[in-house]
Amino acid sequence: MNDVLERLRAEAAGSAEYPEYEALLAAGPDALAASLTSAGLPLWARELAAYRLGLAGDRRAFEPLVLLLNHRDPPRCAAAAEALAVLGDPRTARAAAALATNTLRTAYALQPVRLLTALRAPESAPVLMATLSRLLSPHDPYWRVALACVEGLGALADARSREVLTRAQSHPRLAVAATAALRALG
């Protein structure tokens, strides 16, 4: 949490709205929720409001956090995934699954894949298997996402993943993790 707040403080310090950072840091849930719909707020302010609401379990943060989970900036995605995991909204797994399987957004699927693993939802293993299977083609540039799928499947220890994990063993960057994941299946 401190890393996220420090990153956002640094972003705020570079803008004219820096005093607003302290106000959002001290704001209550209703003020945070109101800021999410205010016009003209910078991205760091919206992220701070959504992040704080998510960690507080306030479901008004769900949609802004899902948008941040799909952002091109990895630290924003990671913060959104962290807050979504704490939020406990039943829609989270479906949203993460949609982002993880979107072939046009594969470059940004790392955090949705990790979130699915953390959630251990019924759709987690099937989505990770489908995503990994798609990424096993030779020369696929998204090996980090594939590795997160392999690690996630190992953590979930779902026996249905045996076939795709066996195929992943033939990929140099995935072989060690795939072997460990297969061991976790028993």
Side-chain angles (χ1 to χ4, degrees):
M1 181 172 148
N2 287 337
D3 291 343
V4 174
L5 296 180
E6 286 304 314
R7 177 179 53 79
L8 294 174
R9 181 187 309 274
E11 283 185 44
S15 69
E17 299 91 357
Y18 183 69
E20 194 168 315
Y21 176 86
E22 296 300 329
L24 283 171
L25 204 54
D30 290 337
L32 291 171
S35 71
L36 290 174
T37 58
S38 297
L41 276 184
L43 182 57
W44 66 260
R46 292 186 192 287
E47 181 182 357
L48 178 57
Y51 182 75
R52 288 200 52 228
L53 283 172
L55 292 182
D58 190 317
R59 291 195 177 164
R60 294 176 286 185
F62 175 75
E63 289 176 8
L65 287 172
V66 169
L67 290 173
L68 289 166
L69 183 63
N70 193 31
H71 198 274
R72 69 182 174 275
D73 185 23
R76 288 197 203 289
C77 296
E82 177 187 346
L84 282 164
V86 172
L87 181 61
D89 191 296
R91 301 171 291 176
T92 301
R94 281 192 314 273
L99 295 174
T101 57
N102 183 339
T103 57
L104 299 176
R105 302 288 293 174
T106 303
Y108 309 110
L110 182 63
Q111 292 304 325
V113 164
R114 289 181 176 162
L115 179 58
L116 282 166
T117 301
L119 293 174
R120 296 184 165 277
E123 53 267 76
S124 294
V127 167
L128 296 184
M129 290 184 297
T131 302
L132 176 58
S133 187
R134 180 171 46 86
L135 298 176
L136 289 179
S137 63
H139 312 296
D140 191 282
Y142 305 114
W143 65 269
R144 285 182 180 87
V145 176
L147 181 60
C149 289
V150 168
E151 293 169 344
L153 290 168
L156 295 173
D158 188 310
R160 297 175 293 178
S161 64
R162 186 172 308 282
E163 184 271 329
V164 71
L165 288 171
T166 300
R167 287 192 295 134
Q169 284 183 303
S170 67
H171 290 263
R173 290 181 168 163
L174 307 177
V176 172
T179 300
L182 283 164
R183 269 193 233 114
L185 298 181

